Amino acid sequence: MAYTETDLTALERAIATGERMVQFADRRVEYRSIDELIRARDEVRRSISPQRAPLSGRTWAAVQGGKGL
């Protein structure tokens, strides 16, 4: 399922108000706990903006010397 910013906003609003019932576009979901809401929010965040793999921190530069034949 593709999540949207609206889904993320609904989850964040539910966490802020302490509600466990969240209305999405076409369905209504009741979460068992706030912890479950937080886990759902984190999953939606990851799917909306996936993290890139960290770079190693090393930088390499290629320098061409000589006559350039």
Side-chain angles (χ1 to χ4, degrees):
M1 177 182 158
Y3 296 109
T4 64
E5 286 289 330
T6 307
D7 297 335
L8 180 59
T9 302
L11 286 166
E12 288 175 341
R13 185 177 301 125
I15 291 168
T17 60
E19 301 255 347
R20 293 183 321 178
M21 183 73 70
V22 179
Q23 177 69 40
F24 294 105
D26 60 342
R27 66 198 181 297
R28 186 174 229 162
V29 178
E30 183 173 1
Y31 291 91
R32 293 177 286 208
S33 67
I34 297 296
D35 289 336
E36 189 176 31
L37 266 169
I38 292 170
R39 284 193 301 273
R41 180 202 56 195
D42 293 343
E43 178 183 338
V44 171
R45 277 185 182 164
R46 278 190 301 274
S47 72
I48 289 175
S49 59
Q51 298 293 320
R52 295 182 180 176
L55 299 176
S56 66
R58 295 182 182 171
T59 304
W60 296 89
V63 179
Q64 182 178 354
K67 295 182 179 183
L69 298 174

